[in-house]
Amino acid sequence: MLGRGELERAVIEVLWAADGPMTAREVADALPGRELAQTTVLTVLGRLEAKHMVSRSRDGRAHSYLATASREEHTADLMRQVLDGAGDRRDALARFVGSVSADDVKALRRALDGR
Amino acid sequence: MPAALLAVLLAGYGIALGGPISSALAGAAWTVRAPRAALVLWQAVCLGSGVSVIGGAVVLALGPLGRDLPSAVLRAFSDLFDGHPFDGLTGGRIVLLLAAGLAAVTLWAVLVRCFLHVSRRRVQHRRLLDLVTACRPAGAPVPMTSPAAAASLEGVRVLRHRTAVAYSVPGWHSRVVVSQGLLELLDGPELAAVLAHERAHLHSRHDLLVLPFQSWAIALGRVAGVRRSQACVVALSEMLADDVAARRSGRRTVAAALAKVAIAGHDDVAPLTGLGDFGDAARPIGHGGPVAEMRARVDRLLTPRPLGPAAVAATYALAALVVAVPVVALLGGWS
């Protein structure tokens, strides 16, 4: 039995791969090798909608779902949080390397070459 | 000695600790040679400063009520519960007492708020991270395909981005994250070193170590010593993590990884954020002092000069003394 997180990831990946909005049935069918009930898929879509990852619209009789942003856009968002948070007083992440000045770079290149 | 004199001395001691002494410690070159001992000393300075200033104010306020702090405070509480609060205290002393209480409560409130804020941000980041990333490199097998390197990536999230970064998300559900760019930049041993560094942060909960300094720098950031204390504690904890990684991977490997990532990060023109040269934009506070992070980290890895055991012991003893002074003064009392 798959965990919550894995289900959410599987569903959002289907939506990312899609050309346009999909109904819950279409998403369920597109999920690789799984026999998931449509209600389960609907629940997962609901959770993703609550996280603003997915938007829902009425398409005739069925609701259709669309990813709000691509994986690349989300990745860029995460990267922004990592890079921009460096000078933040309430920094939440632990970066391996902070920002460096041009002088530091020169010294580091020397150190690296001297190794 | 009279209560008033003791109070003034304590307050002065506390202010000196939080101000000029903190600034001096921030500029002290020896701290990078014994980061663990230096961190203990920092914590002592922080604690000693707070206890002294607030303790001094309370002594001045409650002086007439007792012979030492515990008896005076007990007397104040019993007066309060007996229905005649602030008995024997002048208006000025009452105001001072309330101010001291307010200061103490505010410091704790700021700490709690900071913790909650930071935790919330981590949860949000982690949730998005879990949806967007997988626990294995994306696409074709990356250059390092040795079993050791592959094993070291166990449980590590990989961001599909060409900017070379490595970071961790501290907390109960911690995460270690590397980018595709980092995997392409570093070789197997260097990657293992970076992961060991990040895991050391998580294992030793350095985030909790830094939290009080972080939060009180928000509250008292105007004081230069307090501001610099945060930068120093962060830098020293990085060095501790470097040492853990170095024990595993060797100092030169860690230094190489640091240098490569720093250089790549500087050279990388990041169109998504519009930041080409981080150099001036986000320079961490503490720039110019001996704990100017990057250079100090690489230098101490390449040419380590660890402090001798006697000096290390003296540092721990000093830390104990810094805290003992106000505690003894407050318990010893006044005449």
Side-chain angles (χ1 to χ4, degrees):
Chain A
M1 195 56 229
L2 285 174
R4 243 190 187 197
E6 282 149 23
L7 276 174
E8 287 180 11
R9 195 159 51 236
V11 167
I12 195 78
E13 286 192 3
V14 166
L15 288 175
W16 279 330
D19 290 328
M22 293 175 83
T23 62
R25 154 71 64 77
E26 286 166 347
V27 171
D29 290 341
L31 285 169
R34 297 177 225 279
E35 299 293 338
L36 276 183
Q38 194 165 324
T39 46
T40 311
V41 173
L42 274 168
T43 310
V44 173
L45 284 165
R47 281 206 297 264
L48 287 170
E49 199 187 341
K51 291 183 186 178
H52 306 290
M53 301 275 298
V54 157
S55 66
R56 174 166 56 122
S57 57
R58 196 114 215 180
D59 192 10
R61 279 191 354 218
H63 288 282
S64 64
Y65 298 84
L66 185 67
T68 54
S70 65
R71 189 203 293 270
E72 289 69 33
E73 284 164 334
H74 285 304
T75 301
D77 184 13
L78 287 167
M79 192 58 87
R80 230 187 318 267
Q81 290 178 39
V82 177
L83 296 174
D84 291 355
D88 193 342
R89 284 267 182 87
R90 279 182 263 210
D91 188 17
L93 309 171
R95 264 163 233 81
F96 180 58
V97 165
S99 52
V100 286
S101 69
D103 284 341
D104 287 348
V105 169
K106 282 199 211 104
L108 288 168
R109 278 195 219 276
R110 274 200 304 271
L112 202 54
D113 293 334
R115 188 163 72 99
Chain B
M1 68 172 79
L5 180 61
L6 182 68
V8 166
L9 286 175
L10 268 175
Y13 174 75
I15 290 167
L17 279 178
I21 293 179
S22 282
S23 285
L25 188 58
W30 64 264
T31 52
V32 310
R33 298 168 59 193
R36 195 179 300 275
L39 278 167
V40 170
L41 183 57
W42 269 115
Q43 290 178 81
V45 166
C46 177
L47 185 64
S49 175
V51 167
S52 299
V53 170
I54 292 176
V58 174
V59 166
L60 192 58
L62 298 183
L65 295 187
R67 314 216 62 195
D68 54 40
L69 191 70
S71 65
V73 168
L74 274 167
R75 175 72 191 280
F77 270 111
S78 70
D79 283 350
L80 182 69
F81 292 130
D82 287 343
H84 46 93
F86 309 130
D87 201 20
L89 300 178
T90 63
R93 290 184 195 270
I94 295 170
V95 167
L96 190 57
L97 180 67
L98 293 174
L102 189 64
V105 165
T106 303
L107 284 176
W108 282 109
V110 168
L111 181 65
V112 168
R113 268 185 61 182
C114 187
F115 176 72
L116 291 174
H117 175 99
V118 165
S119 296
R120 214 165 25 237
R121 279 175 72 173
R122 285 178 185 152
V123 166
Q124 284 167 359
H125 188 99
R126 178 177 50 82
R127 283 196 177 142
L128 186 57
L129 187 70
D130 286 351
L131 278 172
V132 167
T133 64
C135 278
R136 62 191 187 288
V142 280
M144 43 98 257
T145 47
S146 73
S152 73
L153 273 178
E154 198 65 48
V156 173
R157 298 271 162 179
V158 182
L159 263 179
R160 290 193 210 178
H161 199 281
R162 56 178 179 67
T163 304
V165 294
Y167 67 98
S168 53
V169 186
W172 186 254
H173 301 281
S174 61
R175 298 283 184 269
V176 177
V177 188
V178 297
S179 65
Q180 195 71 32
L182 188 101
L183 294 179
E184 288 159 14
L185 178 71
L186 302 180
D187 64 31
E190 288 161 356
L191 177 64
V194 171
L195 296 175
H197 171 105
E198 291 305 326
R199 286 181 177 126
H201 277 318
L202 297 177
H203 184 258
S204 303
R205 293 308 306 260
H206 288 162
D207 59 303
L208 293 179
L209 180 64
V210 168
L211 181 68
F213 295 89
Q214 200 177 4
S215 69
W216 292 330
I218 292 167
L220 300 164
R222 293 241 183 83
V223 181
V226 175
R227 228 176 21 245
R228 296 182 71 186
S229 70
Q230 184 197 354
C232 287
V233 169
V234 168
L236 290 169
S237 68
E238 292 300 332
M239 293 172 190
L240 271 184
D242 287 341
D243 286 347
V244 172
R247 276 196 286 277
R248 203 186 166 287
S249 302
R251 288 179 280 112
R252 296 190 165 284
T253 307
V254 181
L258 267 173
K260 281 188 181 176
V261 177
I263 292 166
H266 184 266
D267 291 344
D268 187 17
V269 183
L272 64 90
T273 59
L275 286 175
D277 179 354
F278 294 117
D280 306 313
R283 195 74 182 102
I285 304 146
H287 168 51
V291 284
E293 200 172 311
M294 270 312 301
R295 298 255 290 265
R297 282 170 73 185
V298 170
D299 288 345
R300 69 182 288 278
L301 283 167
L302 293 179
T303 46
R305 293 169 53 220
L307 225 51
V312 170
T315 306
Y316 284 115
L318 183 60
L321 188 67
V322 162
V323 174
V325 160
V327 170
V328 165
L330 291 170
L331 294 179
W334 52 87
S335 51

